Amino acid sequence: MSRRIVFVRNTLAVMIAAVVGGSYVYFRGADLPSAHAAAVNAPLVASNSAPAAPAGPVVAAATDFSGIVQRYGPAVVNISVTGKARKVADDDDNGLDPNDPFSEFFKRFGPQLQMPQQPRIMHGLGSGFIISPDGLILTNAHVVDGAQEVVVKLTDRREFKAKVLGIDKQSDIAVIRIDAKNLPTVQIGDPSRVKVGQPVLAIGSPYGFDNTATAGIISAKSRSLPDDNYVPFIQTDVAVNPGNSGGPLFDLNGQVIGINSQIYSQTGGFQGLSFSIPIDVAMKVEQQLVTHGKVTRGRLGVSVQDLNQALSDSFGLKKAEGALVSSVEKGSPADKAGLQAGDVIISFNGHAIDHSVDLPTLVADTPPGSTKPMEVMRAGKVRTINVTVGEMKQAKNDAKASKSDDQGRLGLAVRPLDKDEQAQLGGQKGLLVEDVSGPAAVAGIQSGDVILAVNGTPVSSVAQLRKLATDAGKNVALLVERGDEKIFVPLALN
């Protein structure tokens, strides 16, 4: 295969798409009254209704989604995030960021035009939808992961700062909350009841265009994508673009059946293949994040793959179904249960395994510590193996709300000036900024700045700075020395 498959999350996909070239890219990134639903579900019309005549082509009437948009559009929100500041420093590239569209210009025209090495603030856009009137919102984990500030905008133009209750990177689900009441909500549907070929509707904010509606059909179900072993994606041909991430996928009844998460593209834009996380998967994650603050999943410790006809023949199977075990982790629950490479798992806890993606999903939903039966085909014979399911270790930083106070309420990592540095400032005391995040990064504070005062009170120690920040209200003014200038910088605190 001559092309390389690349997987990229799409919170900032507008810029990313410009640099991936021709590679294939996965970008990471809602009930109507029964009378109206019946009207929307237009009947199929056959070209020849005579019973003795052969069936003619079946034509579906045009689908009107306007009722769904009108009723549930207000429950779909725009999410804007401010990411962590990061310093750009690379000796080989003269401190240039390879993802910056202007970096090539600066490379071409010499070191005299180097870009300044200073903290950068990452901004991104996404979508989400309200699932409870008191402000609980679902979106994609990659939309808010690492965010210092999350702002939710409603269709009535109200804006709220949101708190990230938890994220789960493995399912790409996040739960956030805004401080509001009596909000419009979506209705949750059942993805297992929808069929391939049925119309679906997406609402989101592609490229920042709020509350944009796009429609298409379900192209496939239970799609397995590389590096996404725990999500049986719903594939559609609905136009989904960067900014749609986290938005809802509706069925004809106006119920949410999925969360738009990824696209498959050569260009970074929509090319007819989009993937949504089934809403039942998302709601299981949401319940655990809200209740426990983390997601617990079962684990076997095996690698599995799909079977084709040749493999099924060689393993004595009548059909190419089941999960072929390609490797077993030593000391894992599967190893302790006696599972071997070459085994074909055809059922788990009474559930048939059709595709290999079915197994990780079933195991992940199993409580760790419980013992479940598996039917395994080995050497042409079916045997039952009981396995005690282990617990999957969470990815680092999963299920944790993004914090804006990692470096204090202000988002500053500082140290007192040494004697030489004080001498350079004419003997003045202060705190040297070594790193920034959160409110300080948003306000434009930079590494190398010297904090001289907080709300008019001179500061000379970290403890003093923290106390002043703790006692401050929602806003604080820092007196900063930068180069030969002293400036006041206002910070809006969470």
Side-chain angles (χ1 to χ4, degrees):
M1 184 174 178
S2 60
R3 295 184 184 270
R4 180 170 59 93
I5 297 179
V6 183
F7 296 87
V8 184
R9 307 265 184 186
N10 84 336
T11 305
L12 300 171
V14 177
M15 182 173 293
I16 296 172
V19 299
V20 295
S23 299
Y24 289 105
V25 181
Y26 277 100
F27 281 95
R28 291 274 202 229
D31 169 57
L32 293 178
S34 56
H36 185 88
V40 172
N41 271 301
L44 298 179
V45 181
S47 62
N48 190 339
S49 59
V58 178
V59 180
T63 302
D64 182 1
F65 287 107
S66 60
I68 298 175
V69 175
Q70 182 177 3
R71 179 161 182 178
Y72 294 109
V76 182
V77 302
N78 172 275
I79 299 175
S80 59
V81 300
T82 302
K84 291 180 179 178
R86 58 186 178 87
K87 287 179 284 187
V88 179
D90 189 332
D91 293 338
D92 294 334
D93 290 330
N94 294 323
L96 300 179
D97 180 358
N99 290 333
D100 193 300
F102 295 104
S103 63
E104 187 61 33
F105 170 83
F106 284 96
K107 283 183 182 179
R108 287 175 181 268
F109 293 93
Q112 69 274 14
L113 290 177
Q114 291 180 11
M115 294 184 70
Q117 298 185 25
Q118 61 183 37
R120 295 196 176 192
I121 309 302
M122 305 299 290
H123 298 280
L125 294 173
S127 304
F129 52 98
I130 306 169
I131 60 173
S132 69
D134 59 351
L136 207 61
I137 296 170
L138 282 185
T139 186
N140 282 147
H142 73 263
V143 171
V144 298
D145 183 28
Q148 295 298 315
E149 183 179 72
V150 179
V151 176
V152 169
K153 184 167 68 173
L154 308 184
T155 56
D156 61 10
R157 300 183 182 179
R158 287 185 293 166
E159 295 187 7
F160 300 87
K161 286 188 177 181
K163 179 180 180 181
V164 181
L165 300 184
I167 64 172
D168 178 55
K169 293 181 182 179
Q170 291 183 326
S171 63
D172 196 22
I173 296 297
V175 183
I176 64 177
R177 184 185 289 280
I178 60 176
D179 185 13
K181 304 294 182 183
N182 302 317
L183 295 173
T185 62
V186 299
Q187 182 167 343
I188 304 302
D190 184 358
S192 67
R193 301 182 64 180
V194 298
K195 300 177 181 179
V196 175
Q198 287 185 337
V200 282
L201 168 76
I203 302 179
S205 303
Y207 300 107
F209 294 107
D210 296 355
N211 232 236
T212 296
T214 54
I217 64 167
I218 296 176
S219 304
K221 296 175 63 178
S222 297
R223 283 292 195 214
S224 176
L225 302 179
D227 299 328
D228 285 289
N229 299 323
Y230 302 96
V231 178
F233 286 94
I234 301 170
Q235 179 185 329
T236 76
D237 68 348
V238 178
V240 171
N241 283 290
N244 272 115
S245 284
L249 183 71
F250 295 89
D251 65 11
L252 276 174
N253 295 317
Q255 297 178 327
V256 175
I257 58 168
I259 300 179
N260 299 313
S261 177
Q262 303 185 45
I263 61 174
Y264 185 75
S265 177
Q266 287 179 281
T267 64
F270 173 70
Q271 288 190 295
L273 294 170
S274 53
F275 299 89
S276 301
I277 303 164
I279 194 63
D280 54 345
V281 173
M283 293 307 293
K284 290 176 184 177
V285 171
E286 179 268 335
Q287 291 169 10
Q288 291 198 57
L289 288 176
V290 172
T291 304
H292 306 293
K294 66 176 184 177
V295 178
T296 301
R297 289 187 174 87
R299 174 179 176 271
L300 287 184
V302 297
S303 296
V304 294
Q305 65 184 77
D306 271 331
L307 291 99
N308 54 27
Q309 188 61 54
L311 284 172
S312 62
D313 290 342
S314 64
F315 286 103
L317 296 173
K318 295 180 180 179
K319 294 182 180 179
E321 58 187 12
L324 174 60
V325 178
S326 54
S327 66
V328 179
E329 182 184 328
K330 188 175 181 179
S332 66
D335 184 35
K336 294 176 181 178
L339 210 61
Q340 301 174 7
D343 287 345
V344 178
I345 303 173
I346 55 178
S347 76
F348 178 84
N349 194 29
H351 298 277
I353 306 298
D354 186 18
H355 297 282
S356 60
V357 68
D358 298 336
L359 180 66
T361 303
L362 289 170
V363 173
D365 288 341
T366 304
S370 59
T371 300
K372 303 297 180 182
M374 292 188 301
E375 283 189 322
V376 175
M377 175 73 75
R378 180 184 296 171
K381 296 181 180 180
V382 177
R383 62 181 67 193
T384 299
I385 295 177
N386 292 318
V387 59
T388 300
V389 177
E391 182 175 351
M392 182 184 301
K393 294 181 180 179
Q394 288 186 311
K396 189 176 182 180
N397 296 327
D398 266 16
K400 291 183 180 178
S402 298
K403 297 180 180 180
S404 61
D405 58 354
D406 291 337
Q407 298 166 321
R409 191 183 181 200
L410 301 177
L412 289 170
V414 297
R415 65 168 175 81
L417 297 173
D418 59 31
K419 292 183 179 180
D420 291 337
E421 290 165 340
Q422 289 182 28
Q424 292 177 14
L425 295 177
Q428 190 166 10
K429 294 182 179 181
L431 299 174
L432 179 67
V433 176
E434 294 187 323
D435 200 4
V436 294
S437 65
V442 174
I445 301 295
Q446 303 175 8
S447 297
D449 287 348
V450 177
I451 308 297
L452 302 176
V454 177
N455 288 343
T457 301
V459 292
S460 58
S461 71
V462 176
Q464 184 185 14
L465 176 66
R466 288 189 180 277
K467 185 179 186 307
L468 290 170
T470 301
D471 295 340
K474 294 184 178 180
N475 297 280
V476 64
L478 301 182
L479 178 59
V480 174
E481 181 151 337
R482 179 180 299 166
D484 296 329
E485 296 182 351
K486 293 180 181 179
I487 55 174
F488 281 98
V489 180
L491 270 69
L493 305 181
N494 294 330

